[in-house]
Amino acid sequence: QVQLVESGGGSVQAGGSLTLSCVVSGYTYSTYCMAWFRQAPGKEREGVAAIDNEGVPSYADSVKGRFTISRDNAKNTLYLQMNSLKPEDTAMYFCAADYRVHPSFLFDRAFWKNWGQGTQVTVSS
C-alpha cells in the first residue's frame, strides 16, 4: 500500500522560505514520478513541480525561479524548497506519486494515483 506523508508547512511572511518534505513508503520509490500540487480555498488543485524517476524537474510558470523540487532516493523523500514566497502561494500542498506520468500531463491531477494528506502553507503580506 502506497503511503505519502507531507510535513514542513507553516506560516511565513512574504519573501520568506519554507521546505516541504514528503516521506513515501509501500513501493520502490526510486522508480516513481513524484510531484507537488497545491490547492487554495475555492480553487482547483494545481500542479506546482514534478520530478521524474531520473531526477529531471519541471515547474509551473508561477513558481519557476523560486521553488526547487528534489528527491533523495536513499531516504525515500521528496522535497520542495520554496523561496521568495508570496501571499498567492498560500494553499494546502500535496505530494503525489505514480509509476509513470507522461510529460504532457505532469500537472494534471487526474494522472496521479497516490496522494498524501497535505500540509498547509500560509504566506502573509
Side-chain angles (χ1 to χ4, degrees), residues 9 29-30 54 61 66 76 85 124-125:
Y29 171 69
S30 62
E54 296 182 351
D61 288 342
R66 299 189 299 122
N76 283 9
L85 282 161
S124 58
S125 57

Side-chain angles (χ1 to χ4, degrees), residues 10-123:
S11 296
V12 65
Q13 288 193 325
S17 298
L18 282 173
T19 299
L20 306 183
S21 300
C22 174
V23 178
V24 301
S25 61
Y27 61 93
T28 305
Y29 171 69
S30 62
T31 64
Y32 271 57
C33 296
M34 302 292 300
W36 288 99
F37 284 72
R38 67 186 181 188
Q39 188 166 17
K43 293 190 175 182
E44 294 288 320
R45 190 172 297 188
E46 62 173 359
V48 173
I51 188 166
D52 67 15
N53 61 336
E54 296 182 351
V56 178
S58 300
Y59 298 97
D61 288 342
S62 58
V63 305
K64 276 181 184 175
R66 299 189 299 122
F67 289 11
T68 301
I69 188 171
S70 61
R71 62 191 300 164
D72 185 334
N73 290 342
K75 295 182 178 180
N76 283 9
T77 303
L78 176 73
Y79 302 99
L80 185 67
Q81 173 68 43
M82 305 185 294
N83 298 327
S84 302
L85 282 161
K86 304 175 182 180
E88 50 264 44
D89 294 318
T90 295
M92 185 73 79
Y93 282 71
F94 300 87
C95 68
D98 211 305
Y99 180 65
R100 195 174 300 277
V101 179
H102 192 278
S104 298
F105 305 117
L106 285 174
F107 297 144
D108 186 335
R109 62 174 296 185
F111 288 84
W112 296 85
K113 293 188 184 65
N114 305 291
W115 294 88
Q117 293 300 306
T119 185
Q120 178 67 37
V121 172
T122 303
V123 184

